[in-house]
Structure formats: C-alpha cells, structure tokens
C-alpha cells in the first residue's frame, strides 16, 4: 500500500481521516518530529479548532520551515480545514499569529447577523472556472456534489484575484458570503471542507489527491448553469439511542417520552425495546444519505471501566464504513472509573474522539454547568466539560443535548422563567408555558429553562444544540415548532431539531416554519416506516436544498 505522511500536531480527531485514507487505498505514516518531514513524499496537514493555537503549535514544534520546504520542493501537499487556513496570510481569529503567507488573503469571521455561526453542514465546492474554460475540475470536485464544512472563519472570495496568479479555486456560498472551499496550484491542494466526512464525494477528492489526479474532465451532463446561491443544504440526522439490553448487549432502542421498555406482550413486556444493531444501522443510514449519524448512549457506562465501554468499539467499527460526521453522547462528564481513578470529561471525550467520533454531545452535565454559571453571576470558570473540550478540540466538536419538558402556567408572571404563548393549551386551558430542563434522561427536573441553558452553553463554547423535546419524543406527531423558534431566537449557534418526527412532511414543516439548521429523526427510521432518502426526496420535491447521496445520481 502506498504511504502518505500526516502531521498530528494538535489534539484532533484524525481517526476518521485515517479511515478515509485507508478506504481509498493508502496508509498513513505519522510525522512525529520535524526531521520526519524529509522522508515525506505526500504530506497532509489536517487541523481543527483555533487558527492561532494550531499555527503556534506548528511553530513551537519547529514544523513551519520544514512544511514550507516540503511545499517549495514541489512534493504533493494537502491542507484540510485549519490546514487550508494555514496557507493564507492570517486570520481574524488571531491577528497576532501569521499564517504561512502563500496565499495573499486573510480569513474573516462569517458575518453573523443573519445566519448561524459556525457554518456547519453540506455546501458546495464549485470550481470558479467551470463554464468559462471547459468542463474540467480539479481533484475530482464536482459542482453538483456537496461537502461537509464546519468552521466560523473563511477566506472571502474575490473573483479573479487568485486565478490570475495561477490558483484554481472552488467556492461555496453561505448566506450572501462567497468563500474559498478548495484551492490548488501545482503541488498544493487544500480544502476548507473535510473530505473524510464528505461521503463518496469526499473520498473521491481525497483519492484524486493521493493518486495525483489533478485535473479531471467532468461528465458532459454536469450542469454548467448551477447558480451561486446559498449552497448550504438542509441537514438530516439519524439518531440511534443505544443502551445495554437485559442480556448486556448494546442495542438500538427507542421509546416514547424516554420510556424505552416494551409495554405489552407476554415475552417482551418490560424488556428494553430492541430495534437492531448499532453498527449495521448506522451504515444503513449512511447509505441512505444521512448527513450525520448520532449515537446517544442513554445509560452511558454502567459497571465497566470507561476505557472498555463497548460504545468505543461501536464507534471504531462505525467510523470504518461511515464517512459522515459521527456524534456520541451519554456520560460525558468528570467521572470515577470502576477502580476509583478519576477521569475528566476531557479524557472521556478524548477516548471517544480517538475511537472515531467527530463531536461529543453533553446532556446532564451541561445543565449543572449552566446552573453554576448563573449561580456565579454569569462567570465562566474554564473548568466545565464544555469549556475544556471545546478549548482542546474546537467548538464544533461540542454539542449540547437538551431534554426539556413543557410546564404550563396561567400567566407569565406565575414563573420567573421565559414563557411563550402556545397555540396548544393544556387540558386545564392554560396557554402559557416554559420549557424546563431535565437531567438523567428526563428523570429529574431542574429550575432552569431551555433559553437559559442555551445561552449559558453558547457562552461556554458549545458549537451546536441538539434540541430534544420529551413531550414530543416518540410521538410521531411532528416537531415542537414553538420550542425550536424559542431557542433559535436566543442564540447564534446552530440548532438541531429533534423529537416527534413521524413522516417526511414533518421535516418539511420544520424547515418551512423555523430557522432550524438541521432536523433529526429516530423511531420512524428504526421502525422502517421511512428511509432517510425518502425524507430527502420529499424535501427536494418541496423545493428544499438537500444533499443527494451519490448513489442517487
Ligand atoms: O445526560 O450527558 O449522560 O446524556 C444522555 C443522553 O441520552 C442525552 O442526550 C439524552 O437526550 C439521551 N437520553 C437519555 N435517556 C433517554 C431515553 O430515551 N430514555 N434519549 C435518552 C433521548 C432523544 C432523541 C430521540 C429523539 C427523536 N433521545 O435522541 O432520538 O427524541 O426521537 P423520535 O424521532 O423517535 O421522536 P448525558
């Protein structure tokens, strides 16, 4: 097998990249010291998180000059995400730290007046020359494919500026901002998106780089008239609630209002509902076109050492066949191992990232941290799980999963919490309600409302909110639109709507009536009532932009 050298200079989830490289027929050799770079023929520089931190780490480790020497020697070089940003002059994210200065542009933060930041999801990488100089593109980038991006800073695109100096550029558009999604010249190639998380389209691009396939002619039917409008698609996420069944095997389960035990049946009454095997089901959803897969380990690690939790094995196996982002939730908090050793939330998250997760999702611990945040007069301690994980791995790696329940009141003055006037009064005729946060899988309610939680965790550095709703969970009656609108209005980070999906129409309804960034389904997929592709086909028919799975074309 041919080899590619890779630099792992900051904590980052590189396992999925290694899996993707293996999948396209190459193996990774790690660069452990600057002198290893002399032996590198092909070099990949991945990167996540903070621009200044990444560049300072490279500089401190003595890597900057050997990287420049590799690039000037003409040997193949690929930068991914912050690895792309490193090639530029610098970034607004840290004005004191310069980039390599190979491309005379600086990264700017997305203007966040009208859109969620970070920019998370599937967007284009459209070669700017398509349609002007024939029908070819660089490194297999296809104008009708979508690629997975996650970043808050981007290189703004000025037509012609870089092309005049021999660069090939592919762009994406987020809201009204067009930015550089990929760039190449000679031996250099870099992508702002993550090819290893971009399904078949990403694997094609990675393979093209590794095989030195710089320019490719596109199929004649490739549309040259694709518009440069906002290219971000509506994200559809498949969620697998996983727990040990009564025989101790991890199974995918699903309940309603968080009760996952069978209610009737002579043989099944009281047992954990078993809907299938986690790895197989995740693969099936990937093949159906799920844009992300989320695992919620709803009983986290009971009775076994943290490092042996079977969930780690599930992630490892899943990440070998699923090339879209994987999120894992459940039990991410400071914890004590079965032998009494303390393990920090960051250590737990690190185990998950090393096993192939791209994001971790924090539930109960986020609620406790938010209560402490308000208790301390809205002061950050730097010590919470959210802060420590987002500092080490970047905000995009931290999702907060929220499990709220409606609490009705007669008048807003009857509570200190933020209320909404609902179109759906309760049986007592009360139409005001607030959304109360819960912990431990809904078993304990807390004196905190969902907006307070969302604002606190945004301040701590969470990158995304997974917004469940216990009242709607497993109901098949559609999402709680009022809840989503309430939370979206309070924060800038993306929100994933969850709980209640029962049909493709429910997904159209949520995208039409709220600004949610993504929508998640569980039971309807697990019970085989609809596939992810059926949901996407329906959304597409209704005029929403979705990523087609490559097999559908
Ligand atoms: O608190 O950090 O250990 O995390 C525990 C995680 O497990 C939380 O994210 C919490 O939401 C989840 N969880 C705990 N108990 C349950 C349960 O069901 N008994 N599952 C549970 C929550 C919520 C969604 C669900 C949607 C969509 N599941 O992921 O899949 O409601 O369902 P639907 O489309 O079928 O309506 P911590």
């Amino acid at each position: 097998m041919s080899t590619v050298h890779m630099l792992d200079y900051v904590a980052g989830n590189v396992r999925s990249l290694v899996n993707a490289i293996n999948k396209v027929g190459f193996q990774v050799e790690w660069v452990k010291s600057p002198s290893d770079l002399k032996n590198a023929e092909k070099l990949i520089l991945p990167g996540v998180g903070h621009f200044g931190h990444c560049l300072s780490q490279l500089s401190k480790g003595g890597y900057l000059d050997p990287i420049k020497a590799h690039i000037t020697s003409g040997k193949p070089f690929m930068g991914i995400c912050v690895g792309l940003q490193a090639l530029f002059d610098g970034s607004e994210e840290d004005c004191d730290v310069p980039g390599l200065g190979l491309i005379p542009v600086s990264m700017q933060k997305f203007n966040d007046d009208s859109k969620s930041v970070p920019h998370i999801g599937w967007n284009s990488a459209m070669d700017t020359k398509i349609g002007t100089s024939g029908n070819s593109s660089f490194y297999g980038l296809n104008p009708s494919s979508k690629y997975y991006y996650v970043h808050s800073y981007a290189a703004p695109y000025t037509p012609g500026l870089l092309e005049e100096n021999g660069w090939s550029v592919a762009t994406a558009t987020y809201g009204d901002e067009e930015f550089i999604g990929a760039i190449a010249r000679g031996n250099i190639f870099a992508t702002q998106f993550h090819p290893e998380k971009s399904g078949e389209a990403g694997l094609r691009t990675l393979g093209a780089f590794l095989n030195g396939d710089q320019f490719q002619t596109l199929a004649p039917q490739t549309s040259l008239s694709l518009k440069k409008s906002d290219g971000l698609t509506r994200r559809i996420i498949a969620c697998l609630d996983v727990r040990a069944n009564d025989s101790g095997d991890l199974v995918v389960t699903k309940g309603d209002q968080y009760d996952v035990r069978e209610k009737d049946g002579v043989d099944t009454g009281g047992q954990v509902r078993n809907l299938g095997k986690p790895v197989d089901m995740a693969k099936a959803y990937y093949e159906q076109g799920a844009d992300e897969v989320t695992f919620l380990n709803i009983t986290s690690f009971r009775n076994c050492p943290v490092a042996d939790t079977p969930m780690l094995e599930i992630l490892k196996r899943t990440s070998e066949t699923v090339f879209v982002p994987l999120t894992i939730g459940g039990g991410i908090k400071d914890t004590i191992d079965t032998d009494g050793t303390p393990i920090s939330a960051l250590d737990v998250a690190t185990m998950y990232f090393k096993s192939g997760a791209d994001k971790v999702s924090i539930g109960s611990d986020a609620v406790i941290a938010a209560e402490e945040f308000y208790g301390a007069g809205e002061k950050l301690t730097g010590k919470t799980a959210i802060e420590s994980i987002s500092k080490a791995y970047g905000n995009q790696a931290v999702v907060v999963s929220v499990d709220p329940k409606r609490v009705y009141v007669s008048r807003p003055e009857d509570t200190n919490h933020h209320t909404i006037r609902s179109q759906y009064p309760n049986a007592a005729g009360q139409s005001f309600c607030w959304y109360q946060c819960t912990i431990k899988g809904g078993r304990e309610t807390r004196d905190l409302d969902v907006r307070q939680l969302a604002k606190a965790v945004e301040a701590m550095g969470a990158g995304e909110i997974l917004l469940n709703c216990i009242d709607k969970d497993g109901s098949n009656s559609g999402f709680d639109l009022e809840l989503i609108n309430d939370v979206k209005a309070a924060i800038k980070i993306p929100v994933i709507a969850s709980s209640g999906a029962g049909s493709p129409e429910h997904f159209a309804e949520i995208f039409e009536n709220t600004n949610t960034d993504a929508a998640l389904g569980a039971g309807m997929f697990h019970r085989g009532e609809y596939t992810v592709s059926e949901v996407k086909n329906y959304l597409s028919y209704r005029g929403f932009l979705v990523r087609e799975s490559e097999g559908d074309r």
Side-chain angles (χ1 to χ4, degrees), residues 239 241 254 258 260 296 298 330-332 361-364 401 403 441 468 472-475 498-501 520-523:
C239 179
D241 289 0
K254 185 73 211 78
Y258 288 27
V260 298
L296 295 177
I298 67 174
I332 296 167
S361 158
I362 303 178
S364 307
S401 164
D403 301 313
N468 302 302
K472 283 286 193 172
D473 175 57
S475 68
S498 164
S499 304
L520 171 153

Side-chain angles (χ1 to χ4, degrees), residues 201-391:
L203 293 174
R204 197 173 52 231
T205 287
L206 200 55
F209 167 73
L210 291 171
N211 289 307
D213 225 351
Q214 195 171 355
F215 289 103
Q216 292 169 338
T217 305
L218 296 168
Q221 70 268 27
T222 301
S223 165
L224 301 181
S225 61
L226 288 160
K227 280 205 307 282
K228 282 192 179 166
S229 54
D230 187 342
L232 186 66
T233 65
R234 309 296 180 142
R235 250 186 305 157
I236 304 300
I237 299 175
C239 179
L240 297 95
D241 289 0
V242 175
R243 65 158 288 167
N245 65 9
D246 300 299
S247 345
D249 302 319
L250 277 187
V251 296
V252 174
T253 189
K254 185 73 211 78
D256 45 77
Q257 303 196 346
Y258 288 27
D259 180 1
V260 298
R261 290 194 175 266
E262 300 283 1
K263 299 199 174 55
D264 45 27
V266 180
D267 297 330
T268 54
Q271 289 183 7
V272 171
R273 194 167 292 138
N274 178 353
L275 295 167
K277 294 187 179 153
V279 180
D280 297 349
M281 288 176 76
K283 181 162 182 269
Y285 295 142
Y286 168 64
E287 286 167 357
Q288 289 172 17
D291 295 316
E292 289 182 34
V293 174
T294 294
F295 289 111
L296 295 177
N297 184 4
I298 67 174
T299 42
S300 57
F301 5 75
R302 288 181 186 161
N303 313 323
C304 73
V306 175
D308 292 338
T309 175
M311 203 57 226
L312 295 174
E313 191 53 33
I314 287 182
L315 274 173
K316 281 182 196 149
R317 286 176 45 213
T318 303
S319 67
E320 283 163 14
T321 52
V322 172
F323 296 98
V324 295
L326 293 176
T327 302
I328 171 78
I332 296 167
K333 58 178 182 192
D334 294 340
T335 190
I336 307 283
D337 213 343
T338 42
D339 65 357
T341 319
I343 300 195
S344 70
L346 179 59
D347 291 339
V348 176
T350 298
M351 271 184 258
Y352 279 141
F353 290 131
K354 286 202 167 139
S355 303
D358 301 287
K359 316 184 200 184
V360 291
S361 158
I362 303 178
S364 307
D365 191 66
V367 176
I368 308 296
E371 288 173 349
E372 288 169 4
F373 171 76
Y374 289 111
E378 306 198 10
K379 283 217 180 68
L380 297 173
T381 61
K383 295 195 174 106
T384 59
I386 299 173
E387 288 163 277
S388 56
I389 302 169
S390 63
K391 184 157 178 253

Side-chain angles (χ1 to χ4, degrees), residues 431-451:
S431 55
F432 290 97
C433 73
W434 62 282
Y435 288 95
Q436 181 170 31
C437 292
T438 66
I439 58 172
K440 302 182 184 161
R443 283 189 286 277
E444 197 178 311
T445 52
R446 308 293 293 197
D447 187 21
L448 187 80
D449 67 59
V450 72
R451 277 173 81 119

